[in-house]
Amino acid sequence: MNLAELNTIAQAMVTPGKGILAADESSGTIKKRFDAIGAASTADSRRDYRELLFRSLDAMSGRISGVILYDETIRQTARDSTPLVRLIEQTGSIPGIKVDKGTKPLPFCPGEVVTEGLDGLRERFVEYRGLGAKFAKWRAVIDIGPGIPTETCIACNAHALARYAALSQEEGIVPIVEPEVLMDGGHDIELCYEVTEWVLKTVFDELYRQRVTLEGMVLKPNMVVPGQQSPKRASVEEVAEKTVRVLKSCVPGAVPGIAFLSGGQSDVEATAHLDAINKIGGLPWKVTFSYGRALQAAPLTAWKGENTNVPAAQRAFSHRARMNGLATLGEWKKELETA
Ligand code: 5MM
């Protein structure tokens, strides 16, 4: 493991003005997204859609520091036979790979899940490195509800995240550590704060125990927001203030960057929150985005699975990438959405 190299990649992933495109939907998830726009999900249609994103030159070269790919995508070639990984590299963006194998019910913890995928992971990292991956991603899912999360669930997921991160660094690949506290449910913002704090403290404790180098990783957390069904809504400023407070109390300054997930927020909401967080300023880490839905909702809707809609989809993607790029600098304004 070369620590300087890991740090250089991690710093590039969180370059100010840029952020990460999470295009790592598993086959089940991308099918749901395609169903919603009336497009068939086949290996070719998934390739066509991702190719249109990676060929959006303005967005990719100006605003997207890295792309998280799914196992199928990292092996695919564009229509003209160029490997998709090569297309990404040609724009100056960095290819990465999702390595977790999704969640399974956690025994004796009703309503809770644990992320799987550690078996054979060392060997898979070697292969992914050969395919061009410079960073990786593993997502743990923590739900809030009556009696949950349990300590068992948080500990098991934190342990797996740290095992993954250590194996990733051993192979010279920067781990994105993603402990997601879900927005589902009627809980208020205070409870989201408490659970996020508990999760982050446990995760960093495990990362320390398993000798993960903080300078060579990127954290991908949720923002502190009320549950989607909560009647008590929070202002953009409150979300930003609480998110910054919890991160400052849990995330060491040695971590180069924090790249948020959007978690079901609307795309403009996710941009406004990121912008407000960066407007607070004085943060010890770079703070950016690693959005899936909040970057792709607009291009998916514009595309609808039709070749003729590719330019419109690329414009929609470039717009969201630009808005979020500005938000990483605290320079976004609502008026720019319609300009
Ligand atoms: C793009 O969605 C990712 C993969 O999801 P599945 O494994 O369930 O198919 C997901 O991990 C994503 O990277 C993060 O949750 C962030 O995406 P959002 O949409 O929350 O910004």
Side-chain angles (χ1 to χ4, degrees):
M1 176 177 60
N2 181 329
L3 291 184
E5 260 174 44
L6 283 176
N7 182 252
T8 303
I9 297 165
Q11 295 286 357
M13 290 162 67
V14 295
T15 302
K18 294 187 176 189
I20 298 166
L21 166 64
D24 59 314
E25 298 86 356
S26 51
S27 305
T29 303
I30 197 76
K31 183 173 181 318
K32 273 192 235 155
R33 307 272 186 267
F34 280 17
D35 284 349
I37 55 162
S41 181
T42 64
D44 281 353
S45 67
R46 294 191 287 270
R47 186 274 316 274
D48 288 349
Y49 169 64
R50 280 148 176 167
E51 182 175 346
L52 86 79
L53 295 177
F54 308 157
R55 285 195 190 275
S56 302
L57 275 190
D58 277 3
M60 291 295 296
S61 57
R63 300 298 183 183
I64 301 296
S65 57
V67 183
I68 314 172
L69 300 167
Y70 182 55
D71 182 79
E72 175 185 76
T73 323
I74 200 170
R75 302 170 193 279
Q76 279 180 319
T77 55
R79 280 189 178 200
D80 68 1
S81 299
T82 311
L84 292 182
V85 166
R86 188 80 202 101
L87 277 192
I88 294 168
E89 288 169 343
Q90 281 168 353
T91 66
S93 188
I94 309 169
I97 181 77
K98 183 239 292 292
V99 298
D100 68 67
K101 292 203 163 175
T103 59
K104 286 280 163 57
L106 185 62
F108 311 121
C109 293
E112 298 193 293
V113 294
V114 63
T115 303
E116 297 197 336
L118 289 170
D119 286 354
L121 185 54
R122 176 177 273 131
E123 293 72 26
R124 288 167 60 220
F125 270 129
V126 174
E127 188 194 7
Y128 285 139
R129 192 172 157 85
L131 289 167
K134 300 277 189 299
F135 69 91
K137 193 203 85 172
W138 178 290
R139 171 173 172 253
V141 179
I142 310 294
D143 208 350
I144 298 179
I148 63 171
T150 61
E151 191 169 355
T152 312
C153 174
I154 293 176
C156 288
N157 276 292
H159 184 265
L161 270 169
R163 288 262 284 122
Y164 138 80
L167 283 164
S168 182
Q169 290 190 338
E170 183 190 63
E171 190 50 36
I173 293 178
V174 171
I176 294 184
V177 173
E178 181 181 5
E180 175 174 8
V181 177
L182 294 180
M183 278 173 74
D184 301 348
H187 57 272
D188 59 18
I189 192 167
E190 281 76 21
L191 187 52
C192 178
Y193 183 102
E194 274 173 41
V195 173
T196 302
E197 182 179 41
W198 184 11
V199 168
L200 289 175
K201 293 228 183 259
T202 311
V203 167
F204 278 97
D205 193 41
E206 271 299 336
L207 292 171
Y208 171 67
R209 214 185 296 275
Q210 298 191 43
R211 306 179 181 196
V212 173
T213 302
L214 299 185
E215 289 83 349
M217 63 162 276
V218 169
L219 178 71
K220 177 165 173 168
N222 54 284
M223 294 177 190
V224 176
V225 289
Q228 256 160 345
Q229 285 81 46
S230 170
K232 249 175 81 187
R233 305 317 301 163
S235 68
V236 170
E237 291 69 29
E238 185 181 6
V239 168
E241 182 273 319
K242 287 197 160 63
T243 302
V244 166
R245 190 145 52 88
V246 80
L247 291 172
K248 275 189 168 173
S249 74
C250 301
V251 184
V255 172
I258 292 176
F260 288 106
L261 58 93
S262 58
Q265 301 176 47
S266 77
D267 46 15
V268 176
E269 217 174 17
T271 307
H273 287 152
L274 177 62
D275 179 67
I277 288 166
N278 278 303
K279 278 194 167 85
I280 290 175
L283 307 175
W285 350 260
K286 306 281 180 355
V287 175
T288 184
F289 58 92
S290 174
Y291 294 160
R293 285 163 286 180
L295 273 174
Q296 295 188 59
L300 269 171
T301 307
W303 179 54
K304 295 187 188 70
E306 301 290 342
N307 252 335
T308 47
N309 294 331
V310 165
Q314 290 180 322
R315 279 196 301 277
F317 174 50
S318 297
H319 177 70
R320 286 264 51 86
R322 191 169 85 86
M323 294 298 101
N324 285 304
L326 291 173
T328 68
L329 307 167
E331 290 175 3
W332 173 82
K333 289 186 198 70
K334 206 173 179 186
E335 306 81 76
L336 293 170
E337 289 291 341
T338 45

